[in-house]
Amino acid sequence: MSQDRKTPGRWSAPESLDQTKDSSSLVPLPARKNRAERLKELRELVTSGKLPGGHLELPTKESGENSPLLDPYRLWRNWSNKWQFWLAVSLMLSVGMAFVAISSLLNLTAQSNCSKIFWPAASANDRFFCAQEAASKRTADDLLRAIELVNALPPDHPLRSRINGQIEGWAQDIVKLGNASLQEGKLEEAIAIARKVPQDVPAYAMVQKEIDKWQSTWSDAQKLYRTAEDHLRQEEWGLAFRQATLLLDSGNTFWESVKYEELTKAITTTKAEGNKLVKARNTAAEGGLDNLVTGIKLAQGIGQNSYLYQAANRAIAEFSKKIMGLAQKRLQAGDWQQAVAMANKIPESANLKEQVQDFNQLAGATAQALTGSVDGLSKAIEIAQKLKEGRPLYKQAQDSVGRWQQEMADVKVLDLASRLAAPGTVKDLRAAIAQLQTVGPSNPRSVEARTQIARLSRQIELLEDSPYLQRANDLATAGDPNALEAAVAQASRIGQGRALYGEAQTKIQAWIERRQRLQDQPFLERAQQLAARGNLAEAIDMARRIRSGRVLYDEARSNIQIWESQFQGEQGLQSARQAARAGTAEALQTAISLASQVPDSSSLRWQASEAIEEWAQRILAMGVEQSSSDLAGAIATLKKIPSGNRAFEQARSQLQIWEQSLAPAAPESPSPAPEPPETEPPNKSPTR
């Protein structure tokens, strides 16, 4: 074999291989020696006093110069005669030969180039050496090549356990390479790398377990990501961010960094787009065409790549349907041009293109129908019938056709009724009404038919009731009560709900009031005359002859209230004066009380007030005069003066003075009492 082969180190795989490790870090072994060289080496070791596995301590010169052990020949002769020596030598030779054989196998001291080896006839040494040389490159293909080289040895090979251990180490290195791709986000590539390990090696179970772990981790991360995306589509920003944070614990660098940042950016972007969509909804919710159009434009600003694109399209469709509803109402109101303008504002993205086309066609038909003529309705029906079955507004078109066909029949009835009513007689008008009544309440022209019936019915009532009202006016011209009563009776023949009923009732009310005034005015005038002469009682009785509900009742009642007040005042003042004649304080107090009952509305109120003031002054004078002999009695007398007059204020000041004089003197105190607050001194009334 070639001598340029590299001599590798120990080939047994460590428990974990690092990708940066190569064969240069292995400890080189010595070159293999033949048997003669190994025996010579052992002989030298024995001669020198050293044995494999330890040192033999020999005596030194310090033990004595005559010691036999100092002579090498003598030493050899002594040892060579002992059987223990030869047993040790035999054991050492056996162990050494086994060690050399195993080392030569394990150290793969091949002497040829791996690329030139014919592998079917290659030895185990060559396979181990070349496998380790390939594995040192740390690539998936090279590690796989290393596994293939040693795995080709038979299952019963003496070194199979070592082979399987080496294969497991290289399989772990392949898994590490796959895991590196996995951390970069390349799941399929990682699995492909790992699956390069042959399935027939024991280490493949470990590889499959690792692949299952990768797939589980990847699947869990994908579920978190997709759940977050679903939350974004549902505009649930908080829940989406919560799912994003769970990616940080996925155990995969790609998902924890790249996909996490990607998702958080998507959340921020989608949230901003969500605010735009909310603004679009709020604007559209305010109602009206302009707000709906503005809402559509805002929703259209959300692009196809957005998570809210579908939500925006749903909002656009919803707003567009509302615009279509407004256009339908406008069309029903007869403003077909404005209706078409509204419908044309619906964008194509609303997926209502065919519906808008049908609506515009129906609007054109409606424009013809709004002429109200038979010809216009016929054209409208022709246009609407062009919408075939399967079109979005086919049913609406058919409903319109049916309505317009009925309207054509109604128009013919209205024209016939108009011709019948033209002569203007009651008979002709009734014939026209009979014709109009054939138009049912659910017909398109039912309102117009009812209007015409009402108009013709009024004409009939005017023709029938005008003579009664004219006769009543003629009777009322005389102006006397009997004539007015006859006029009322004549006008009352016009029944309620008739065309002239309101006018007749107005005239009847005027004639009734006029007749009552003529009948009751003498009683009111006589009562006023009696009151002027002072006969209030007779005046009141006369005015009470005017009954409630009569036109002059309120005026009579007002006069009665005035006269009753005057009469009450006279009676009260007269009673007060009668009581004051006794001249005592008690009598004067009673007189003041009776005079106070004279109403303020009475014309005698001022007389009562003067009398009260006079009687109060007399009581004051009595009390002052009584004070010289009976101060307590004088105080009681002054307290009989009621409030509300000048004498009361004077009496109150006098009472304060008298009550202080009757109060017992306060006992002297060693310390001066505090000064009372300053008050105005009472006004002393003049005494006699």
Side-chain angles (χ1 to χ4, degrees), residues 428-447:
D428 295 329
L429 295 174
R430 290 188 186 281
I433 290 174
Q435 188 67 30
L436 290 170
Q437 286 175 341
T438 61
V439 179
S442 60
N443 289 21
R445 292 296 184 96
S446 63
V447 175

Side-chain angles (χ1 to χ4, degrees), residues 214-225:
W214 293 347
Q215 290 175 332
S216 176
T217 300
W218 195 272
S219 177
D220 292 342
Q222 281 183 328
K223 289 179 181 178
L224 292 175
Y225 198 95

Side-chain angles (χ1 to χ4, degrees), residues 579-619:
R581 288 176 184 176
T584 63
E586 289 78 4
L588 293 173
Q589 183 182 15
T590 302
I592 291 173
S593 176
L594 292 172
S596 298
Q597 296 177 8
V598 176
D600 293 337
S601 60
S602 175
S603 60
L604 299 176
R605 179 60 197 175
W606 66 275
Q607 295 181 15
S609 297
E610 288 184 352
I612 290 171
E613 188 65 35
E614 178 186 350
W615 296 333
Q617 288 292 340
R618 287 174 62 182
I619 295 173

Side-chain angles (χ1 to χ4, degrees), residues 42 151 197 231 584 626 666 680:
L42 287 173
N151 195 44
V197 176
H231 287 310
T584 63
Q626 188 180 2
E680 295 183 0

Side-chain angles (χ1 to χ4, degrees), residues 100-111:
V100 171
I102 293 173
S103 296
S104 61
L105 285 175
L106 296 180
N107 291 330
L108 307 177
T109 54
Q111 299 179 359

Side-chain angles (χ1 to χ4, degrees), residues 48-49 56-72 75 78-79:
S48 62
L56 178 65
E57 293 182 1
L58 300 176
T60 60
K61 292 182 180 181
E62 296 176 358
S63 301
E65 293 181 358
N66 297 325
S67 176
L69 296 177
L70 295 178
D71 186 357
L75 179 63
N78 291 338
W79 277 100

Side-chain angles (χ1 to χ4, degrees), residues 532-646:
R533 290 197 294 266
N535 298 330
L536 295 177
E538 295 181 10
I540 291 171
D541 291 340
M542 183 61 68
R544 283 177 176 171
R545 294 185 179 184
I546 301 174
R547 298 186 306 274
S548 176
R550 308 280 288 182
V551 66
L552 293 179
Y553 175 78
D554 291 340
E555 185 178 353
R557 187 62 188 165
S558 178
N559 287 330
I560 289 172
Q561 290 176 350
I562 294 173
W563 297 334
E564 286 178 341
S565 177
Q566 291 178 354
F567 183 76
Q568 183 180 358
E570 288 180 359
Q571 294 294 323
L573 186 57
Q574 184 179 355
S575 298
R577 285 172 178 170
Q578 184 68 29
R581 288 176 184 176
T584 63
E586 289 78 4
L588 293 173
Q589 183 182 15
T590 302
I592 291 173
S593 176
L594 292 172
S596 298
Q597 296 177 8
V598 176
D600 293 337
S601 60
S602 175
S603 60
L604 299 176
R605 179 60 197 175
W606 66 275
Q607 295 181 15
S609 297
E610 288 184 352
I612 290 171
E613 188 65 35
E614 178 186 350
W615 296 333
Q617 288 292 340
R618 287 174 62 182
I619 295 173
L620 178 61
M622 290 180 184
V624 171
E625 183 178 356
Q626 188 180 2
S627 65
S628 60
S629 59
D630 184 7
L631 187 59
I635 291 173
T637 299
L638 261 60
K639 288 184 177 181
K640 297 180 184 296
I641 300 174
S643 61
N645 52 74
R646 293 190 299 274

